[in-house]
Amino acid sequence: MPPIGTVWTFDYTGGEQEFTIPCSGGYKLETWGAQGGSESTTFYGGYGGYSNGQINLKKNIKLYINIGEQGSGYSLDKVSTGGYNGGGYGGVPNTTYSDRQGGSGGGGATHIAENSGLLSSLKNQKEVILMVAGGGGGGAIGDIKGSDGGGFKGNDGGYSTSFPTYYGTGATQTIGGFDFTIKSNYGTFGQGSGFSDNVKYGGNGGGGGFYGGGGTNRGHSGAGGGSGYISNSLLYNKAMYCYNCEESSEESTKTISTTCTSKTPTENCSKQGNGYARIALISY
């Protein structure tokens, strides 16, 4: 039997990871979503959110962990893929246009569930999802960064002062974000939306999450962040943290705004780079 305080860690691998509970007891679950793809170190993708909570689990229960991947960086010559586990695609739909703008992919969500599968595949099995940390939206060109994921509502994307309606909205607990300009192109459960296929300029991909953030139809418009999730009734002492985000005091959606970000997974901080998860034994 592992001693109290034992910690198991899960880094990004590009696939699902399975964990068998070694003994009955209390466990702390922590997840970090992935950052959106970046155009540069100045115009960067939104940060991934952080979710945590405690839960009592019985020996031999299997948990399935999918770690979000950072979205692909800015591309002017092809589609920029979204990160594993729900990041929306960015880049350009057609490279023949001389005035194309390009874009970046959204970051993937990180989730822990009692059933196997990518987050988007669990739409009709929400009761098996224990926790989700939302991913950030893809970073834009110009002076615009991607929007940050996590919390009960992902952040809306940034926008140019010359084009104040061009951005993707953040996802909520019940609906995905969307392209604010054309009022369509919604993110869905577990999946951020990509750029709008009916425009030539390209755009940025929304972050993955419980619901995915909205993609955009211009490279200079930031995509929306994906939402987190801690509403499973088995969790207690639970909260979500996200970067400069809207807060909630409700127990099932408790959200705390933070300005802390780190490449290294850090408690109560938003995540740079790929996502991460941690499981700790806290009591017998």
Side-chain angles (χ1 to χ4, degrees), residues 12-30:
Y12 169 71
T13 64
E16 185 171 80
Q17 300 173 64
E18 183 180 308
F19 178 71
T20 302
I21 297 300
C23 63
S24 297
Y27 290 82
K28 182 177 182 179
L29 309 181
E30 297 177 280

mmCIF file of all heavy atoms in Angstrom, residues 12-30:
data_model
loop_
_atom_site.group_PDB
_atom_site.id
_atom_site.type_symbol
_atom_site.label_atom_id
_atom_site.label_comp_id
_atom_site.label_asym_id
_atom_site.label_seq_id
_atom_site.Cartn_x
_atom_site.Cartn_y
_atom_site.Cartn_z
ATOM 1 N N TYR A 12 2.054 15.137 -20.993
ATOM 2 C CA TYR A 12 1.473 14.932 -22.315
ATOM 3 C C TYR A 12 2.199 13.803 -23.043
ATOM 4 O O TYR A 12 3.434 13.774 -23.101
ATOM 5 C CB TYR A 12 1.552 16.218 -23.140
ATOM 6 C CG TYR A 12 1.209 15.999 -24.586
ATOM 7 C CD1 TYR A 12 -0.110 15.734 -24.964
ATOM 8 C CD2 TYR A 12 2.195 15.997 -25.566
ATOM 9 C CE1 TYR A 12 -0.437 15.497 -26.289
ATOM 10 C CE2 TYR A 12 1.881 15.771 -26.896
ATOM 11 C CZ TYR A 12 0.563 15.509 -27.251
ATOM 12 O OH TYR A 12 0.246 15.257 -28.564
ATOM 13 N N THR A 13 1.428 12.862 -23.606
ATOM 14 C CA THR A 13 2.009 11.753 -24.379
ATOM 15 C C THR A 13 1.419 11.651 -25.772
ATOM 16 O O THR A 13 1.926 10.881 -26.594
ATOM 17 C CB THR A 13 1.776 10.410 -23.662
ATOM 18 O OG1 THR A 13 0.360 10.147 -23.609
ATOM 19 C CG2 THR A 13 2.351 10.419 -22.255
ATOM 20 N N GLY A 14 0.336 12.347 -26.058
ATOM 21 C CA GLY A 14 -0.335 12.204 -27.340
ATOM 22 C C GLY A 14 -1.386 11.115 -27.352
ATOM 23 O O GLY A 14 -1.963 10.811 -28.394
ATOM 24 N N GLY A 15 -1.648 10.514 -26.205
ATOM 25 C CA GLY A 15 -2.657 9.466 -26.114
ATOM 26 C C GLY A 15 -3.217 9.372 -24.709
ATOM 27 O O GLY A 15 -2.771 10.062 -23.789
ATOM 28 N N GLU A 16 -4.177 8.500 -24.535
ATOM 29 C CA GLU A 16 -4.814 8.317 -23.243
ATOM 30 C C GLU A 16 -3.926 7.518 -22.288
ATOM 31 O O GLU A 16 -3.204 6.609 -22.700
ATOM 32 C CB GLU A 16 -6.140 7.588 -23.438
ATOM 33 C CG GLU A 16 -6.971 7.443 -22.177
ATOM 34 C CD GLU A 16 -8.352 6.908 -22.497
ATOM 35 O OE1 GLU A 16 -8.487 5.678 -22.679
ATOM 36 O OE2 GLU A 16 -9.290 7.719 -22.587
ATOM 37 N N GLN A 17 -3.984 7.871 -21.008
ATOM 38 C CA GLN A 17 -3.237 7.151 -19.973
ATOM 39 C C GLN A 17 -4.226 6.581 -18.957
ATOM 40 O O GLN A 17 -5.184 7.242 -18.576
ATOM 41 C CB GLN A 17 -2.250 8.096 -19.294
ATOM 42 C CG GLN A 17 -1.244 8.691 -20.286
ATOM 43 C CD GLN A 17 -0.370 9.764 -19.673
ATOM 44 O OE1 GLN A 17 0.414 9.486 -18.762
ATOM 45 N NE2 GLN A 17 -0.482 10.981 -20.179
ATOM 46 N N GLU A 18 -3.976 5.350 -18.545
ATOM 47 C CA GLU A 18 -4.865 4.654 -17.619
ATOM 48 C C GLU A 18 -4.207 4.532 -16.253
ATOM 49 O O GLU A 18 -3.015 4.238 -16.148
ATOM 50 C CB GLU A 18 -5.181 3.274 -18.171
ATOM 51 C CG GLU A 18 -6.163 2.466 -17.352
ATOM 52 C CD GLU A 18 -6.439 1.105 -17.962
ATOM 53 O OE1 GLU A 18 -6.786 1.058 -19.162
ATOM 54 O OE2 GLU A 18 -6.286 0.084 -17.251
ATOM 55 N N PHE A 19 -4.981 4.763 -15.207
ATOM 56 C CA PHE A 19 -4.455 4.675 -13.837
ATOM 57 C C PHE A 19 -5.428 3.860 -12.993
ATOM 58 O O PHE A 19 -6.625 4.150 -12.951
ATOM 59 C CB PHE A 19 -4.295 6.076 -13.240
ATOM 60 C CG PHE A 19 -3.804 6.086 -11.821
ATOM 61 C CD1 PHE A 19 -2.498 5.731 -11.511
ATOM 62 C CD2 PHE A 19 -4.652 6.461 -10.784
ATOM 63 C CE1 PHE A 19 -2.043 5.743 -10.195
ATOM 64 C CE2 PHE A 19 -4.206 6.477 -9.472
ATOM 65 C CZ PHE A 19 -2.899 6.114 -9.175
ATOM 66 N N THR A 20 -4.897 2.826 -12.323
ATOM 67 C CA THR A 20 -5.707 1.992 -11.442
ATOM 68 C C THR A 20 -5.484 2.413 -10.001
ATOM 69 O O THR A 20 -4.337 2.471 -9.535
ATOM 70 C CB THR A 20 -5.335 0.508 -11.610
ATOM 71 O OG1 THR A 20 -5.524 0.127 -12.985
ATOM 72 C CG2 THR A 20 -6.208 -0.371 -10.717
ATOM 73 N N ILE A 21 -6.567 2.726 -9.298
ATOM 74 C CA ILE A 21 -6.468 3.170 -7.916
ATOM 75 C C ILE A 21 -5.855 2.042 -7.067
ATOM 76 O O ILE A 21 -6.403 0.941 -7.004
ATOM 77 C CB ILE A 21 -7.858 3.560 -7.380
ATOM 78 C CG1 ILE A 21 -8.417 4.748 -8.166
ATOM 79 C CG2 ILE A 21 -7.789 3.887 -5.886
ATOM 80 C CD1 ILE A 21 -7.581 6.002 -8.108
ATOM 81 N N PRO A 22 -4.716 2.303 -6.399
ATOM 82 C CA PRO A 22 -3.994 1.224 -5.706
ATOM 83 C C PRO A 22 -4.606 0.821 -4.369
ATOM 84 O O PRO A 22 -4.380 -0.287 -3.894
ATOM 85 C CB PRO A 22 -2.599 1.809 -5.514
ATOM 86 C CG PRO A 22 -2.829 3.289 -5.449
ATOM 87 C CD PRO A 22 -3.961 3.567 -6.386
ATOM 88 N N CYS A 23 -5.354 1.726 -3.745
ATOM 89 C CA CYS A 23 -5.972 1.409 -2.454
ATOM 90 C C CYS A 23 -7.144 2.351 -2.223
ATOM 91 O O CYS A 23 -7.171 3.471 -2.753
ATOM 92 C CB CYS A 23 -4.951 1.531 -1.311
ATOM 93 S SG CYS A 23 -4.292 3.202 -1.082
ATOM 94 N N SER A 24 -8.118 1.902 -1.471
ATOM 95 C CA SER A 24 -9.248 2.768 -1.154
ATOM 96 C C SER A 24 -8.787 3.927 -0.280
ATOM 97 O O SER A 24 -7.968 3.749 0.630
ATOM 98 C CB SER A 24 -10.335 1.968 -0.434
ATOM 99 O OG SER A 24 -10.844 0.955 -1.266
ATOM 100 N N GLY A 25 -9.292 5.118 -0.577
ATOM 101 C CA GLY A 25 -8.880 6.278 0.217
ATOM 102 C C GLY A 25 -9.308 7.579 -0.421
ATOM 103 O O GLY A 25 -10.045 7.609 -1.411
ATOM 104 N N GLY A 26 -8.822 8.663 0.158
ATOM 105 C CA GLY A 26 -9.073 9.991 -0.374
ATOM 106 C C GLY A 26 -7.949 10.416 -1.297
ATOM 107 O O GLY A 26 -6.764 10.194 -0.995
ATOM 108 N N TYR A 27 -8.303 11.009 -2.404
ATOM 109 C CA TYR A 27 -7.315 11.417 -3.409
ATOM 110 C C TYR A 27 -7.557 12.871 -3.809
ATOM 111 O O TYR A 27 -8.706 13.338 -3.835
ATOM 112 C CB TYR A 27 -7.404 10.534 -4.656
ATOM 113 C CG TYR A 27 -6.924 9.122 -4.425
ATOM 114 C CD1 TYR A 27 -7.762 8.171 -3.856
ATOM 115 C CD2 TYR A 27 -5.628 8.744 -4.758
ATOM 116 C CE1 TYR A 27 -7.327 6.875 -3.629
ATOM 117 C CE2 TYR A 27 -5.179 7.447 -4.540
ATOM 118 C CZ TYR A 27 -6.035 6.519 -3.977
ATOM 119 O OH TYR A 27 -5.585 5.240 -3.753
ATOM 120 N N LYS A 28 -6.486 13.569 -4.118
ATOM 121 C CA LYS A 28 -6.588 14.897 -4.695
ATOM 122 C C LYS A 28 -6.285 14.802 -6.181
ATOM 123 O O LYS A 28 -5.263 14.230 -6.583
ATOM 124 C CB LYS A 28 -5.609 15.882 -4.042
ATOM 125 C CG LYS A 28 -5.719 17.300 -4.600
ATOM 126 C CD LYS A 28 -4.795 18.290 -3.891
ATOM 127 C CE LYS A 28 -4.961 19.693 -4.441
ATOM 128 N NZ LYS A 28 -4.092 20.682 -3.756
ATOM 129 N N LEU A 29 -7.189 15.330 -7.001
ATOM 130 C CA LEU A 29 -7.013 15.364 -8.440
ATOM 131 C C LEU A 29 -6.668 16.787 -8.876
ATOM 132 O O LEU A 29 -7.297 17.748 -8.420
ATOM 133 C CB LEU A 29 -8.291 14.920 -9.157
ATOM 134 C CG LEU A 29 -8.938 13.602 -8.726
ATOM 135 C CD1 LEU A 29 -10.178 13.332 -9.574
ATOM 136 C CD2 LEU A 29 -7.959 12.451 -8.798
ATOM 137 N N GLU A 30 -5.692 16.915 -9.770
ATOM 138 C CA GLU A 30 -5.311 18.218 -10.310
ATOM 139 C C GLU A 30 -5.134 18.093 -11.820
ATOM 140 O O GLU A 30 -4.517 17.136 -12.301
ATOM 141 C CB GLU A 30 -4.004 18.713 -9.703
ATOM 142 C CG GLU A 30 -4.033 18.958 -8.212
ATOM 143 C CD GLU A 30 -2.665 19.364 -7.696
ATOM 144 O OE1 GLU A 30 -1.817 18.458 -7.503
ATOM 145 O OE2 GLU A 30 -2.426 20.563 -7.510
#
